[in-house]
Amino acid sequence: MTARLINGASLAKTMRRGFVDRVGKLRESGLTPGLAVILVGDDPASAVYVGRKMRACEEVGIRSFASYLPATISNAELLGRIVELNANPEVHGILVQLPLPEHIDMARVLETIAVEKDVDGFHLYNVGGLVTGNVVFSPCTPYGVVKLLEHENIPIQGQNVVVVGASNIVGKPMALMLMARDATVSICHAKTRDLAQYTILADILVVAAGVPNLIIPQMVKRGAVVIDVGINRLPDGRITGDVDFAGVSEKASAITPVPGGVGPMTVTMLLENTIKSAEHALALT
Ligand code: GUN
């Protein structure tokens, strides 16, 4: 079996064309959607991600407001910046790029973002909403994975899903979003003994561990759908996922490539959340 390629870049492009129309309608009504992006410090990977997010905003007509803040910024100054953005009516979404420097109280930062502007979905209210089904904004990467599965007509209900990786950004929200769609979900992580014993049972395997080639063909059930969320830079500069793509493609029925799979969907869902927030703001006027 050679797996069908799940093309995230292509779906992202189609969705973004639709966003141009939605943003156009908002602008005609006198409201330009705005996203504020805060980058603290000069981590090169974070700078690349932030640049990508701002360019994507521009492409669909969302105004972006960048705050590049020094790594030495105090908690109080950073919280003050967020409070300002919360009060700014031109800003409909606020994103603080993670990770933050050690001395910054990340939990406090995320809780300071106004829930109605929390387009990353990291505020405790939104995290809790994922558990209870009252979510305002879903975190972008798992939301993008769900969109990909839906677009590919891959059934979720009743399926055995194994999520490898239990981060707050991907693994945990991913598991909750798939549970909400009635999948049977197992979560594995760095301390899981005999990972293969779990992954082999997966009808849908979502891998977000940050370990190149963690998933080899022997760990995958024939015909499984494999979603690779990993983005790893190899010593030679190439980008690779967490899955042995060539090997696993021979066993899976469908698989996401890296790059060009989940990555473009993450930014797309950020745009979607920002537009949704702006539409909500307009409805309130
Ligand atoms: N760092 C890695 N992924 C993300 C993300 O989706 N949002 C933010 N804010 N930071 C990240």
Side-chain angles (χ1 to χ4, degrees):
M1 177 182 289
T2 300
R4 178 171 94 245
L5 208 63
I6 301 178
N7 190 336
S10 162
L11 177 59
K13 208 166 157 192
T14 307
M15 289 184 71
R16 291 184 200 189
R17 271 200 295 269
F19 294 165
V20 173
D21 294 339
R22 275 169 76 182
V23 172
K25 286 204 179 79
L26 283 164
R27 283 176 164 242
E28 278 166 26
S29 308
L31 187 148
T32 300
L35 175 69
V37 179
I38 299 178
L39 176 62
V40 183
D42 46 18
D43 175 65
S46 290
V48 168
Y49 294 137
V50 162
R52 236 176 245 167
K53 289 169 185 179
M54 307 229 314
R55 254 194 322 281
C57 280
E58 234 170 76
E59 280 166 22
V60 301
I62 296 173
R63 190 187 292 158
S64 60
F65 303 85
S67 301
Y68 294 107
L69 305 174
T72 52
I73 194 168
S74 70
N75 277 282
E77 283 174 297
L78 180 53
L79 296 179
R81 181 82 194 113
I82 293 169
V83 169
E84 273 170 32
L85 293 167
N86 283 344
N88 184 342
E90 294 186 333
V91 171
H92 304 96
I94 301 171
L95 178 150
V96 179
Q97 186 65 28
L98 304 177
L100 288 166
E102 283 282 304
H103 70 280
I104 297 286
D105 182 347
M106 182 183 70
R108 186 93 193 275
V109 166
L110 298 179
E111 282 157 45
T112 302
I113 297 172
V115 170
E116 67 275 14
K117 298 191 180 187
D118 177 37
V119 288
D120 246 340
F122 294 161
H123 188 286
L124 276 185
Y125 182 93
N126 277 316
V127 177
L130 276 182
V131 176
T132 59
N134 297 309
V135 73
V136 180
F137 295 110
S138 297
C140 301
T141 299
Y143 190 15
V145 171
V146 168
K147 283 278 172 189
L148 272 178
L149 293 172
E150 286 174 354
H151 179 258
E152 295 287 322
N153 293 316
I154 293 164
I156 297 174
Q157 189 178 55
Q159 299 296 296
N160 285 338
V161 176
V162 176
V163 179
V164 181
S167 70
N168 289 343
I169 293 179
V170 184
K172 286 182 205 161
M174 182 82 261
L176 289 164
M177 291 172 79
L178 294 168
M179 271 172 69
R181 288 160 178 80
D182 298 322
T184 304
V185 181
S186 309
I187 310 177
C188 301
H189 45 75
K191 302 276 166 43
T192 298
R193 273 186 287 117
D194 194 2
L195 180 61
Q197 167 190 315
Y198 294 90
T199 59
I200 197 73
L201 298 175
D203 301 310
I204 301 173
L205 179 60
V206 182
V207 192
V211 181
N213 285 320
L214 177 66
I215 303 298
I216 55 176
Q218 295 89 312
M219 299 167 77
V220 177
K221 181 163 88 167
R222 191 162 291 283
V225 172
V226 178
I227 306 292
D228 189 351
V229 186
I231 301 178
N232 308 292
R233 189 174 288 276
L234 296 174
D236 66 7
R238 278 182 305 135
I239 297 292
T240 186
D242 292 351
V243 177
D244 163 13
F245 180 80
V248 170
S249 292
E250 294 303 315
K251 260 187 122 177
S253 61
I255 187 168
T256 56
V258 177
V262 175
M265 290 302 292
T266 295
V267 180
T268 303
M269 302 327 294
L270 173 68
L271 301 177
E272 158 105 40
N273 281 348
T274 305
I275 295 168
K276 187 176 141 194
S277 175
E279 288 170 344
H280 184 67
L282 182 66
L284 292 178
T285 60

